[in-house]
Amino acid sequence: MIRTRPRILALAGALAAATTVAACGSDSAAPDGDAGPPRPGGTLRYGLSQAPTCSDPAQAGTNQTLYVARQIVDSLTDQDPATGELKPWLARSWEAGPDAKVFTFHLTDGVTFSDGTPLTADSVRNTFDSIVRLGSAKAPLASSYLTSYVGTTAVDRLTVRVEFGKPNAQFLQASSTAQLGILADVTTAKPAEQRCLGDNIGSGPFTYAAYRQDAAVTLAKRTGYHWGSAVFAHRGEAYLDKIEFTVVPESGVRTGGLASRQLDAISDALPQDAPQIEAAGGRVLSTANPGVPFGLQPNVTRGPLRDAAVRQALLPAIDRRQLVDTVLGPQFEPATSALAGSTPGYTDLSARLPYDPAKARAILDQAGWTPGADGIRTKNGERLSFSVLFSQVFAGNQAILELVQQQLRQVGVELKLDLVSVAETTARQNSKDFDTAYFNTTRADGDILRTSFGLDGRNLNARGPIPALDDALGGQLSTVDPATRNGLIRTAQEQVLDAGLFVPTVELSQAIGAAGDTRDLKFEASARLQFFDTWLSGR
């Protein structure tokens, strides 16, 4: 099994924090030796573990959706997965104001969208304005990256100035994400629902050729593409002629399809799948996701989770190492903070997260929650019982939560599993209709804490002000000094745990099964796949 782990390096450039990012998952050297130089052509058949939720990169949230949508859109910048440094893409250069409120980008000339229209400063303005119109309900990540957005000005045809009402130090890194990828006017003029139907027009190396919701997507190579990111390994067009994505929810069926050569690569290759993949000449590529790890985010306005002592008791009640060893495998790690270990500004808070069921029981005892006849605690007639809202965005979610359910019961807590679709999960999160929500959020910047926990973010906790947390989340937007910013992100992580706003479980890793002749299938900085450099050696 090939495993790529994070490497710790400094993030160069103004407004960038010292960072740890996921290493690039290149795998040119196949088990059967050197295949020679990359060769163009062929169709790569990819098995998704879940259907894409929307074809629009701005509204994309799940990894499976972004594997598809990332390929049709370019961003102003790109983030090098090996160093964290921002590199030119649609913008050949940029400047940031000293107060982190004004950012100026100089666009590459000669870029066109797949409908033939040119990329201009107006395209950038219309893209960002459309994201603001979509709002947090439809585009929660994209809109959070544009917090305090004042507007975008086309200084001239190829110069664009983006302005914010308050400092927004995270914006440069956000400009490298798929969610802020630049789209043609014909797409940005459409309402949210129509942007999900598979006819989005971007300037990326692939285009949508066919899109069947919940079933399959076909991407075709963009002829004439020559403005790829400085992170890409080659210039010119992509090597692959087409990518055919098929939704295959069952892990065993995906693995069987790869082993029998009906598929060339698959998502969510579980540990038990590795021997079959390797026996067929393939391998498993893995990399750790930066951002918020998987965990339970409680709604602090409902049921027993109103009690801060209950939320604190949940932290030592969970055996995170058992979750990894029992359900997942060696490419995964227990969560040790409110950020994953490959995230800029991550602080190891594992000392605050030991498995200590005796401590959990003591906290609950002191708070007046006493065991009932069936072992579940009660207080003033209220049962210590709540549900967890989740979807199968990751194949291991249900098994993880079933084990968490057993662990919590040992300390007198009843956890009820509420498995719903991705769409229902999003809708209920937006309306705060849940007791706890189980999720992760991927981003290679510590500002993702503000997106998940900030009062100006999604605030899934439905919490009120917490001055120390709010000051840290707001302060990290205002500083251009990496050390100062990382210190504030550390404080935010500590405050999230101290207030019981998040119960971390495991860090997500992408585990991709690849056939022996699938070459240079790579992860970008946010652990999503990049197919531009991918090629097939056997066809």
Side-chain angles (χ1 to χ4, degrees):
M1 178 183 295
I2 299 174
R3 297 175 58 204
T4 59
R5 300 300 300 166
R7 292 191 291 158
I8 301 177
L9 295 163
L11 174 59
L15 302 182
T19 179
T20 306
V21 291
C24 182
S26 175
D27 61 316
S28 295
D32 56 355
D34 186 5
R39 62 187 75 159
T43 297
L44 185 140
R45 302 156 301 176
Y46 190 95
L48 294 167
S49 61
Q50 184 187 59
T53 57
C54 177
S55 63
D56 179 15
Q59 299 182 65
T62 69
N63 287 315
Q64 306 306 303
T65 302
L66 284 163
Y67 285 172
V68 177
R70 169 80 275 187
Q71 317 311 318
I72 65 105
V73 69
D74 297 327
S75 300
L76 290 173
T77 65
D78 200 1
Q79 189 173 12
D80 190 324
T83 67
E85 184 180 1
L86 295 179
K87 298 282 191 176
W89 200 346
L90 293 180
R92 55 181 174 79
S93 63
W94 53 87
E95 299 93 42
D99 59 359
K101 293 168 68 174
V102 179
F103 302 83
T104 302
F105 297 89
H106 305 279
L107 303 179
T108 301
D109 199 3
V111 176
T112 60
F113 295 103
S114 58
D115 64 354
T117 58
L119 169 77
T120 67
D122 290 336
S123 312
V124 178
R125 180 192 63 219
N126 294 338
T127 294
F128 291 168
D129 286 354
S130 77
I131 289 171
V132 173
R133 291 195 303 271
L134 288 171
S136 59
K138 295 294 184 181
L141 289 177
S143 62
S144 77
Y145 301 159
L146 296 176
T147 184
S148 302
Y149 179 74
V150 170
T152 299
T153 301
V155 178
D156 58 40
R157 186 175 66 89
L158 295 175
T159 306
V160 59
R161 184 173 65 244
V162 185
E163 299 182 51
F164 298 90
K166 297 178 181 178
N168 194 6
Q170 59 83 39
F171 174 67
L172 269 186
Q173 190 279 335
S175 72
S176 71
T177 64
Q179 284 87 356
L180 294 191
I182 309 304
L183 293 160
D185 292 352
V186 68
T187 294
T188 57
K190 294 180 178 180
E193 291 75 14
Q194 291 185 23
R195 290 174 60 158
C196 290
L197 303 180
D199 57 358
N200 313 74
I201 302 298
S203 64
F206 292 91
T207 64
Y208 284 119
Y211 192 93
R212 290 189 294 128
Q213 187 64 47
D214 298 327
V217 178
T218 299
L219 302 183
K221 176 168 67 177
R222 171 82 190 277
T223 303
Y225 184 89
H226 60 84
W227 46 83
S229 154
V231 175
F232 293 170
H234 78 280
R235 308 300 295 172
E237 300 175 359
Y239 292 127
L240 297 171
D241 290 334
K242 289 183 179 181
I243 308 172
E244 293 179 349
F245 293 96
T246 304
V247 180
V248 187
E250 301 83 6
S251 174
V253 177
R254 287 196 306 277
T255 301
L258 184 67
S260 63
R261 301 313 314 276
Q262 298 176 68
L263 296 171
D264 302 300
I266 60 171
S267 293
D268 291 346
L270 299 177
Q272 60 265 31
D273 302 326
Q276 185 179 0
I277 292 171
E278 292 167 352
R283 62 257 188 244
V284 176
L285 309 171
S286 67
T287 196
N289 282 54
V292 175
F294 270 114
L296 293 87
Q297 187 164 357
N299 181 339
V300 301
T301 69
R302 287 176 47 147
L305 293 167
R306 300 190 309 271
D307 187 342
V310 169
R311 303 197 301 271
Q312 280 298 317
L314 298 179
L315 296 175
I318 294 177
D319 186 345
R320 294 163 182 84
R321 171 52 62 185
Q322 185 185 42
L323 297 180
V324 170
D325 293 346
T326 303
V327 179
L328 299 174
Q331 72 264 38
F332 293 85
E333 296 290 343
T336 55
S337 179
L339 287 177
S342 56
T343 317
Y346 158 80
T347 298
D348 184 351
L349 299 179
S350 55
R352 301 188 184 204
L353 298 170
Y355 176 52
D356 189 347
K359 179 179 179 180
R361 294 187 190 99
I363 293 173
L364 294 172
D365 288 341
Q366 187 173 4
W369 293 91
T370 58
D374 62 353
I376 302 303
R377 295 171 181 264
T378 61
K379 179 180 180 181
N380 299 328
E382 183 177 23
R383 189 173 171 84
L384 214 176
S385 174
F386 55 87
S387 65
V388 54
L389 177 74
F390 75 104
S391 61
Q392 288 287 41
V393 292
F394 170 58
N397 276 358
Q398 183 163 346
I400 289 170
L401 287 174
E402 287 172 348
L403 186 50
V404 169
Q405 185 180 50
Q406 297 172 28
Q407 293 175 352
L408 293 184
R409 190 170 187 89
Q410 293 174 14
V411 301
V413 177
E414 181 180 55
L415 180 67
K416 296 180 287 189
L417 274 54
D418 189 5
L419 173 61
V420 300
S421 68
V422 174
E424 184 175 348
T425 297
T426 302
R428 288 177 57 184
Q429 285 178 337
N430 289 338
S431 64
K432 308 297 190 290
D433 179 22
F434 61 89
D435 295 333
T436 62
Y438 188 74
F439 72 101
N440 84 301
T441 308
T442 297
R443 186 187 176 191
D445 191 279
D447 181 67
I448 195 64
L449 289 172
R450 183 184 58 84
T451 301
S452 298
F453 302 101
L455 291 177
D456 66 342
R458 300 190 75 189
N459 187 19
L460 296 182
N461 300 109
R463 68 174 179 88
I466 302 175
L469 175 59
D470 298 332
D471 289 349
L473 292 176
Q476 60 88 24
L477 287 177
S478 303
T479 179
V480 300
D481 177 68
T484 302
R485 187 166 186 244
N486 278 351
L488 290 165
I489 291 171
R490 175 191 179 112
T491 297
Q493 292 167 78
E494 294 171 340
Q495 287 294 315
V496 164
L497 295 187
D498 287 348
L501 300 181
F502 192 64
V503 183
T505 57
V506 300
E507 293 193 5
L508 178 65
S509 286
Q510 298 305 302
I512 306 299
D517 64 355
T518 300
R519 310 302 177 108
D520 282 336
L521 184 58
K522 299 179 178 180
F523 298 105
E524 44 101 89
S526 291
R528 277 70 181 247
L529 290 176
Q530 183 265 94
F531 290 91
F532 178 77
D533 292 316
T534 305
W535 58 288
L536 301 171
S537 62
R539 279 168 274 159

